[in-house]
Amino acid sequence: MASLSAARWLLLLTALVAWVDCGPRYTPDWASLDARPLPGWFDEAKVGVFVHWGVFAVPAWGSEWFWWHWQGERRPEYELFMREHFPPDTTYADFAARFTAHDFAPRFWAWLFQRAGARYVVLTTKHHEGFTNWGSPVSWNWNSVDTGPHRDLVGELGQALRERNIRYGLYHSLLEWFNPLYLADKQNGFKTQNFVFSKTMPELYDLVLRYKPDLIWSDGDWEGPDTYWNSTSFLAWLYNDSPVKDTVVVNDRWCNNCSCHHGGYYNCADKYKPGTLPQHKWEMCTSIDKRSWGYRSNMQLSELMDESSIIADLVHTVSFGGNYLLNVGPTKEGVIVPIFQERLLSLGKWLDVNGEAIYASKPWRVQMENTTNSVWYTSKGSTVYVIFMTWPDSGVLKLSSPLPSPNTQVTMLGFSGMLKWEKAPEKGLLITLPNVAPSVFPVQRCWTLKLNGVE
Ligand SMILES: *[C@@H]1O[C@H](CO)[C@@H](O)[C@H](O)[C@H]1NC(C)=O
Ligand SMILES: *[C@@H]1O[C@H](CO)[C@@H](O)[C@H](O)[C@H]1NC(C)=O
Ligand SMILES: *[C@@H]1O[C@H](CO)[C@@H](O)[C@H](O)[C@H]1NC(C)=O
């Protein structure tokens, strides 16, 4: 009797230790996977830089969809571009040798992204063209180690980012436009999975085991169902047994019906911009070059986002509880052109002063002033931040949403001293802005007020 009971205790104890040790086990279905709480670092990070880099930087024309527009859709302007710029019979594969990356300086990139205020960086490890920016053993020679740069681009950038404590995200396309195995599966109505089992899955596992990413930014999901991609099985492994199971964050592009419904945080569509506060953590991805994610040598200044629109987008996104992922496309040599550097650095300069209202903030009870979209709110505990885009001519900013109390205190980030305020006639408060030369302020646009003691 006694020994049986001891054995039972031992069994119970073992089970308890296993339970404490492992946390919940996720099963390969969306109900289970969707219930996983998002690791906290992601919501606090708020700002990321997206990097679209691949063989498409060689033609550097149109967009990173060059190959598809040229030989998938056969758009006449692409056929003409090829005839005019490359010898006859040039194939897309021929471009790989010219993807030299000989100016790629990962430590400089990491410095630049940190100065931009990015707390995470997402690199295309493989775009829809299928070229892998690391030495994938299942990619034949269609990768950056066997051809082109002859370097492990994914690994080198990861190491430089880690030295600066910047989180590392890996973009990965499930589909490959012209992979014969993928095309055969597609012909079979996605009833066979030869491509998934010999390419997609081995590469996803390889990426996780080699580079231990903080984030997997999945894409290229839209043609096949989750049963084809086997994505729930991969995510269950990622959350239960992978080396990054406690910290890794994923997005929502895991099957033709997944986006905006399943996965980790939601991207929904590219450049998604909700009009009201979403109930689920989300991220807005957008690109400084409004017409492309990959580098284009023919881009015009008027086609780029300017500093004000970048900051306005960021503020809008963060007040609605989103993260902001801003893209640059490096050249085939690995240069981030100075105009992109300038945009990134000006964002960072704004964040140096106003970041307190952005990083680790939460949406407030109101997201923007009712009558205007030029005043936005964020919060931290009982502190409310007001970010305003236009300096009122009167020098007095009227806010109707915060309700003042006798203890209300108003300050301005980057400016020392209290600001005067009074109760507005109807509701809210009237704040007298500092009457000083603009040069006093460290940044010349989008200022932040900090309110304490308001409801
Ligand atoms: C695909 O998913 C099935 C069902 O969850 C699983 O049994 C199998 O091991 C998975 N295969 C791969 C290669 O991930
Ligand atoms: C996608 O979801 C919609 C709505 O839930 C459903 O009607 C449709 O059948 C789904 N499509 C696929 C391919 O699963
Ligand atoms: C916002 O303005 C509209 C139209 O002026 C008004 O109907 C609505 O009640 C206002 N909402 C708030 C929260 O003040």
Side-chain angles (χ1 to χ4, degrees):
M1 276 304 261
S3 74
L4 186 66
S5 130
R8 280 191 181 189
W9 272 110
L10 195 64
L11 210 68
L12 195 67
L13 201 66
T14 315
L16 193 69
V17 167
W19 179 74
V20 168
D21 196 38
C22 299
R25 296 285 299 177
Y26 295 95
T27 49
D29 56 83
W30 292 119
S32 171
L33 299 168
D34 290 348
R36 176 181 182 252
L38 199 67
W41 72 264
F42 184 72
D43 181 45
E44 291 181 8
K46 304 296 184 196
V47 187
V49 167
F50 208 175
V51 181
H52 271 68
W53 203 24
V55 172
F56 45 79
V58 173
W61 194 79
S63 79
E64 71 290 343
W65 278 57
F66 184 94
W67 195 6
W68 182 253
H69 293 325
W70 171 34
Q71 292 189 310
E73 296 178 327
R74 302 194 171 278
R75 291 192 189 175
E77 68 270 29
Y78 283 75
E79 293 183 346
L80 186 65
F81 173 86
M82 285 304 296
R83 270 204 303 281
E84 287 181 347
H85 296 88
F86 293 94
D89 302 327
T90 300
T91 66
Y92 193 80
D94 294 336
F95 289 149
R98 301 190 187 204
F99 178 26
T100 66
H102 59 52
D103 294 319
F104 172 45
R107 285 195 163 134
F108 172 72
W109 285 24
W111 171 85
L112 177 67
F113 299 154
Q114 188 163 57
R115 287 304 310 127
R119 299 285 163 91
Y120 63 107
V121 170
V122 180
L123 171 70
T124 51
T125 64
K126 183 192 87 173
H127 201 260
H128 314 321
E129 64 187 10
F131 186 88
T132 67
N133 282 334
W134 84 102
S136 160
V138 292
S139 62
W140 293 277
N141 66 348
W142 193 229
N143 68 69
S144 68
V145 174
D146 291 325
T147 179
H150 295 284
R151 288 167 73 174
D152 175 8
L153 307 178
V154 177
E156 288 189 40
L157 182 60
Q159 195 181 338
L161 293 171
R162 294 254 146 81
E163 285 170 12
R164 291 182 175 272
N165 280 323
I166 302 172
R167 300 267 182 179
Y168 194 26
L170 304 181
Y171 167 107
H172 171 268
S173 172
L174 294 171
L175 71 75
E176 295 177 20
W177 289 316
F178 297 104
N179 188 308
L181 295 174
Y182 179 64
L183 295 177
D185 285 347
K186 194 165 154 178
Q187 275 246 296
N188 296 335
F190 294 116
K191 298 285 186 271
T192 54
Q193 289 176 286
N194 292 328
F195 172 68
V196 174
F197 291 162
S198 61
K199 190 74 171 34
T200 317
M201 280 303 138
E203 287 188 342
L204 269 175
Y205 282 84
D206 188 33
L207 281 171
V208 173
L209 295 171
R210 271 192 213 225
Y211 303 111
K212 306 191 174 50
D214 298 297
L215 191 161
I216 298 177
W217 211 104
S218 184
D219 195 17
D221 57 328
W222 56 82
E223 292 183 328
D226 50 3
T227 46
Y228 173 67
W229 294 121
N230 242 46
S231 33
T232 55
S233 171
F234 168 72
L235 290 173
W237 170 79
L238 188 70
Y239 293 173
N240 289 329
D241 300 313
S242 80
V244 289
K245 65 191 176 68
D246 299 321
T247 46
V248 75
V249 166
V250 306
N251 68 346
D252 55 352
R253 298 189 181 174
W254 295 100
C255 75
N256 58 0
N257 248 6
C258 285
S259 184
C260 241
H261 300 295
H262 297 301
Y265 70 83
Y266 293 168
N267 279 116
C268 303
D270 289 354
K271 308 189 185 182
Y272 174 61
K273 211 173 188 177
T276 55
L277 183 65
Q279 293 308 301
H280 192 94
K281 181 65 194 179
W282 63 287
E283 173 191 64
M284 184 209 203
C285 61
T286 193
S287 184
I288 294 179
D289 177 358
K290 290 187 262 186
R291 301 184 59 174
S292 180
W293 301 84
Y295 177 71
R296 300 183 294 141
S297 58
N298 60 336
M299 86 191 157
Q300 301 290 312
L301 192 58
S302 61
E303 296 165 334
L304 304 188
M305 294 180 77
D306 61 17
E307 183 190 342
S308 303
S309 53
I310 291 170
I311 294 171
D313 255 9
L314 165 73
V315 171
H316 176 155
T317 300
V318 172
S319 358
F320 278 121
N323 277 21
Y324 190 62
L325 185 65
L326 184 63
N327 177 75
V328 293
T331 68
K332 64 185 191 297
E333 292 85 10
V335 172
I336 296 171
V337 291
I339 192 70
F340 289 158
Q341 294 184 31
E342 188 270 344
R343 293 294 190 269
L344 291 176
L345 292 173
S346 65
L347 172 62
K349 199 171 160 206
W350 186 84
L351 283 162
D352 280 345
V353 178
N354 300 283
E356 182 185 329
I358 300 292
Y359 301 116
S361 69
K362 300 276 182 206
W364 191 45
R365 105 180 125 73
V366 174
Q367 280 68 60
M368 62 174 142
E369 271 302 330
N370 196 20
T371 50
T372 159
N373 63 359
S374 72
V375 178
W376 297 88
Y377 293 102
T378 65
S379 71
K380 245 180 227 177
S382 61
T383 301
V384 177
Y385 295 97
V386 184
I387 304 166
F388 62 104
M389 312 276 160
T390 316
W391 192 281
D393 290 338
S394 63
V396 176
L397 187 70
K398 180 175 187 298
L399 302 174
S400 12
S401 304
L403 306 176
S405 73
N407 302 324
T408 296
Q409 291 188 336
V410 183
T411 55
M412 188 164 176
L413 299 186
F415 184 79
S416 57
M418 297 280 176
L419 305 196
K420 285 211 198 93
W421 64 270
E422 59 188 282
K423 257 181 131 143
E426 288 147 30
K427 73 186 208 155
L429 64 175
L430 299 170
I431 297 166
T432 306
L433 299 173
N435 188 10
V436 291
S439 59
V440 167
F441 298 107
V443 288
Q444 307 301 316
R445 61 177 98 247
C446 301
W447 306 265
T448 304
L449 300 179
K450 181 174 177 178
L451 312 185
N452 280 308
V454 294
E455 274 170 45

